Amino acid sequence: MLEIEQIHKTFNPGTVNEKKALAGLSLHLDRGEFVTIVGSNGAGKTTLFNAVAGVFYVDEGMVSLDGTDITFMPEYRRSRMIGRLFQDPLKGTAPHMTIEENLALAYLRSSKGKAPFSRISKKDRALFRERLELLGMGLEDRMRQPVGLLSGGQRQALTLLMATIVPPKLLLLDEHTAALDPAAAEKVLELTKQIVTEHEITCMMITHNMHQALELGSRTLMMEDGRIVLDVSGETRRDMTVEKLLQEFRAGTGRDLDNDRILLS
């Protein structure tokens, strides 16, 4: 479904600020697979997401999605197939537009056969209301209110709905609950599991929480220095503990994981 073959990316090559962010990384995801990703700061997790989403083109290698080579496909075209949530709840929505207008933009951008400035029908509005009700936050009664009035948790839940109102082929979650308070984070995470499972969406999620990385989805990756150093699934993952995960990281890299944010989580 998602095929990544030997991708490389170096920023500022030939300068004192040269940084090799991806070093021959390869990865295969099956349709409907839910993968969690952990790693230190600078390990290449977000860079991997940017390469898949088309924020930049890789220096070498190939990226294909659902049988289509997207290596040099521009980001705006990939966005019709790839949904993405960021750590900052403010990134995924337009604050001065209403909830309904934000949903309409996401729906029209992702819907095949609909022009970006098509009119929203009564049927579309009914769909928006129905999906908002599933969030359990009362947003279905606030569709004409600006998104800027929502809390961080409400805004991130809305962003999740916008990214999946037309189920994407691939959903990228970049620590999408890290900036929320514990109650809001738990709610958004539960909604994530519900939506991904219901629509069988292929999903990759970056997290700093190692317990979460082993509990969610069906496969866990650890990254370091722009490459995957550990890939566990099946029975091996079911028997895995955080302590064993740290041991495997040490075996794969030759050093201990020293990221306090991950270790303290």
Side-chain angles (χ1 to χ4, degrees):
M1 197 281 174
L2 175 67
E3 195 72 46
I4 299 172
E5 295 183 6
Q6 289 292 313
I7 59 172
H8 294 257
K9 183 62 183 180
T10 300
F11 295 106
N12 305 309
T15 72
V16 294
N17 296 317
E18 180 174 312
K19 167 65 176 176
K20 185 182 286 291
L22 296 173
L25 186 148
S26 295
L27 177 65
H28 172 81
L29 264 65
D30 292 325
R31 188 181 305 279
E33 196 165 11
F34 189 162
V35 176
T36 57
I37 306 173
V38 291
S40 304
N41 291 335
K45 306 181 299 298
T46 296
T47 306
L48 170 61
F49 276 19
N50 287 339
V52 173
V55 175
F56 54 73
Y57 295 149
V58 295
D59 301 330
E60 299 176 47
M62 184 271 291
V63 182
S64 70
L65 183 63
D66 204 19
T68 300
D69 187 341
I70 62 171
T71 310
F72 297 107
M73 182 182 289
E75 183 179 9
Y76 77 92
R77 288 184 58 195
R78 297 192 206 190
S79 69
R80 292 179 177 268
M81 303 180 287
I82 300 174
R84 187 172 184 182
L85 269 73
F86 298 88
Q87 181 174 332
D88 186 353
L90 304 183
K91 278 193 173 183
T93 52
H96 301 297
M97 297 177 68
T98 67
I99 293 173
E100 179 181 292
E101 289 168 340
N102 273 269
L103 283 170
L105 282 177
Y107 181 65
L108 293 174
R109 185 191 70 240
S110 302
S111 298
K112 293 181 180 178
K114 284 185 177 282
F117 299 102
S118 299
R119 284 182 174 274
I120 294 298
S121 66
K122 287 184 178 180
K123 183 179 179 181
D124 294 333
R125 288 191 175 90
L127 172 65
F128 298 164
R129 185 177 182 84
E130 176 186 326
R131 294 297 177 84
L132 286 168
E133 285 177 350
L134 296 176
L135 301 182
M137 296 179 170
L139 299 185
E140 67 275 9
D141 297 320
R142 301 172 60 184
M143 288 175 61
R144 298 298 176 89
Q145 289 189 5
V147 168
L149 298 178
L150 303 182
S151 69
Q154 290 172 329
R155 200 155 167 173
Q156 198 69 311
L158 176 62
T159 305
L160 176 63
L161 182 58
M162 290 168 60
T164 58
I165 192 163
V166 176
K169 292 182 177 181
L170 177 67
L171 180 62
L172 304 176
L173 305 173
D174 194 346
E175 293 198 69
H176 69 306
T177 62
L180 307 179
D181 64 76
E186 185 177 351
K187 176 66 174 177
V188 171
L189 205 56
E190 191 58 41
L191 288 169
T192 301
K193 290 188 288 185
Q194 178 184 330
I195 291 172
V196 168
T197 301
E198 178 185 351
H199 297 289
E200 298 182 338
I201 298 172
T202 307
C203 181
M204 299 171 68
M205 186 182 86
I206 295 172
T207 177
H208 66 272
N209 188 310
M210 298 186 76
H211 291 283
Q212 196 177 81
L214 290 172
E215 291 169 359
L216 291 174
S218 57
R219 183 177 172 190
T220 298
L221 309 178
M222 291 194 79
M223 289 186 63
E224 186 69 10
D225 297 331
R227 58 193 179 94
I228 295 170
V229 295
L230 182 65
D231 184 347
V232 292
S233 58
E235 290 186 13
T236 303
R237 184 177 184 266
R238 284 194 292 272
D239 295 335
M240 186 70 68
T241 63
V242 171
E243 290 73 20
K244 287 182 180 179
L245 202 58
L246 291 172
Q247 290 173 9
E248 292 289 344
F249 179 86
R250 187 184 304 115
T253 63
R255 60 178 182 270
D256 291 325
L257 182 67
D258 59 359
N259 186 290
D260 289 342
R261 187 180 177 199
I262 294 176
L263 294 174
L264 293 174
S265 70

